[in-house]
Amino acid sequence: MSFIFSLKNISKTYGDDTLFHDLSIDFKLNEQMGLIGMNGSGKSTFLKLIANITQPDTGDLITKSGLRVIYLSQEDRLEPDQTVEQILYNSIKDSPFDDKQRHKIVQTLLGKGGFTDTDIISNKLSGGWTKKLAITRALCRQPDVLLLDEPTNHLDINGILWLEEILKTAGFSFIVVSHDRAFIENICSNVMEIGKYYPSGYFKIQGQYKKFEKERHKFLKAQQTKQASLSSKMRREDEWLKQGPKARSTKAKYRIEQAQNLKMELYALKDRNKNTATMDIDFQGTGRQTKKLLRAYNLKKSMAGKSLFSDISFEIGPGFCLGIVGENGSGKSTLLSILEKKTLPDKGKVQWAENLKVSIFDQKRSRLNPVLTLKEALNPGGGDSVNYNDRSIHIVTWAKRFLFMPDQLEMPVKSLSGGEKARIILANIMLTPCDLLLLDEPTNDLDILSLEVLEDSIQQFAGAVIIVSHDRYLMDKVCHKILYLDPKAEARFFKDFNQIMNFRKTLGEKSKKIKKLTNSKKQPSKTFSYKDKYELEHIEEKIVDAEAEVQLLSDKIQEPEIIRNPEKMKKYCSLLKLSQEKAQDLYKRWEDLEDKKDRSAEE
């Protein structure tokens, strides 16, 4: 297997924080890898090292000559006063491509990106379209290796599925940092986690995310078991050492050396295992057993003349979790605001159980005062202790429960990261018992280990939960029903995301049929132009070439080397599919041209 780049004995430190120490890893041709890790573990730094944006303190990056490595950061830095088309053309103005190639690349990717208005200024785009443009710009540069840092941020479900389709058929290698586990599962052929809890600094398997999840759990459990075993063995050795062997024989000296080695191994193991600490979330329920905590009747809402949703009715009680999903602008947050009684519906009503206690996670974090210190934000009541579950807990202990260090307590909230702010809100929610949790995009900025803890806490909460999220993996795990909002169809309830995807597919097929019927009613042009004549005279040559390419790729995927390599097999199957579609399109075009020629002759 050929390697396109290697990191050899890399170390990188920022201040007192060592991200990597003696890290070595190889990256293969056509590898499509998902990269995960806790917040602050160095995922973004890892990508920047590969892109040669950041230099290691020690070690080397060895890359294949002429390799085009393109880095797509989390922040979308686009020229604010340039149009979509200008941004794409400017991204490859210094490339080796000629004008004809540049034009083809840009126009093809404008089509793939769905940019119908290419003259719009970039600063007029929404967050989702800005992200799409940043991704499209990176694709214009024709990468050999594409490095994507949280590319699904700001994308709604349509945007995420669009990006999945792009990467599934990619003819380049990529590494994608993401906390979207369904996204990683669908596009990555192998997964790697960076973490100080692994002996080599990372854990990598060949396979999709669900396989990785099982293997990681098995590895970390074995590491915990090994620590317990070594601790027991070390206690026996300590007792023997305290007794003091009477004779300093060679055998006794050897056992002393072994005990010292055991102690060092145990220390290293304990140090790794302590780094697996995650948030400790436990939402407090009131114990209320009212069967119907909230009822919604025929809710309807429009904004700026646009209908968001209508005829939404449901009821929710203890132990039930309702999910809400949809593309950006479909009314998810507006619906939550109606349920919270902050916004009035155009039609319908919401009925709460008497004295219902509700806790809210606001995706904009508007309930956080940015000038407060972390200590003040974690303890709204003031003082050095918080009252949780009728127990007094010191603020330092409480902060550690949410992965904050004591020296952070005097930091202002405005200087904290998005993930840290999310943890403050979750900590505040835990302080007050409630009957109903309203969670608006709580997964934003949380790492995967924190998401797993949040999943467990939602499942164990005795009250009711209504959650808005684009995290398909989490929603399938915690939701009993999912309400899907789509501006092109009525709001519907589904059991899981698989049902939603099937519904979307059906909806898309209906839309295509309607479009086809509409187009078929249009009177076709009967004029057989010179351009049509030229195309018809040369189309057979194109069909022969297309059929030859299909045959070549069909033979290719039968080669033993390809059959044994899942990554290559995936690549060549995608290429074969595209070639077959191209050939079919040419045959269809041939028929259309012949019909057009015949109609023109009849006139």
Side-chain angles (χ1 to χ4, degrees), residues 346-365:
D346 299 337
K347 183 182 175 184
K349 65 177 181 176
V350 178
Q351 185 178 349
W352 284 12
E354 191 175 356
N355 298 320
L356 188 73
K357 297 189 184 320
V358 182
S359 289
I360 298 158
F361 186 104
D362 172 16
Q363 69 160 308
K364 295 178 181 176
R365 281 91 156 141

Side-chain angles (χ1 to χ4, degrees), residues 259-273:
Q260 291 301 320
N261 291 336
L262 179 63
K263 187 178 287 186
M264 289 175 66
E265 184 182 358
L266 180 59
Y267 175 80
L269 204 52
K270 283 182 177 179
D271 193 50
R272 287 203 299 274
N273 284 334

Side-chain angles (χ1 to χ4, degrees), residues 438-541:
L438 295 180
L439 307 176
D440 192 1
E441 299 289 3
T443 64
N444 288 354
D445 304 311
L446 293 180
D447 57 50
I448 286 178
L449 291 179
S450 298
L451 289 175
E452 290 172 351
V453 175
L454 179 61
E455 284 170 356
D456 290 340
S457 62
I458 290 172
Q459 289 175 312
Q460 292 168 17
F461 178 57
V465 180
I466 299 178
I467 178 171
V468 170
S469 178
H470 61 268
D471 190 320
R472 292 163 287 171
Y473 206 88
L474 177 139
M475 297 289 266
D476 275 344
K477 247 185 148 177
V478 305
C479 296
H480 298 92
K481 272 188 181 179
I482 302 176
L483 171 63
Y484 179 60
L485 302 180
D486 190 317
K488 299 184 290 294
E490 293 179 0
R492 297 192 183 204
F493 292 90
F494 296 94
K495 181 183 175 183
D496 54 31
F497 252 99
N498 188 49
Q499 288 188 350
I500 292 173
M501 298 309 292
N502 288 335
F503 172 71
R504 284 171 56 88
K505 186 178 178 182
T506 304
L507 205 63
E509 288 170 355
K510 283 183 181 178
S511 178
K512 284 179 182 177
K513 284 180 182 177
I514 292 169
K515 189 175 179 181
K516 189 175 180 181
L517 285 170
T518 304
N519 290 339
S520 67
K521 291 176 183 178
K522 294 177 182 178
Q523 183 67 29
S525 171
K526 294 183 179 180
T527 306
F528 187 68
S529 66
Y530 175 79
K531 185 180 176 182
D532 292 332
K533 180 175 180 293
Y534 180 85
E535 187 180 355
L536 182 59
E537 287 172 353
H538 293 83
I539 200 165
E540 288 187 61
E541 300 168 20

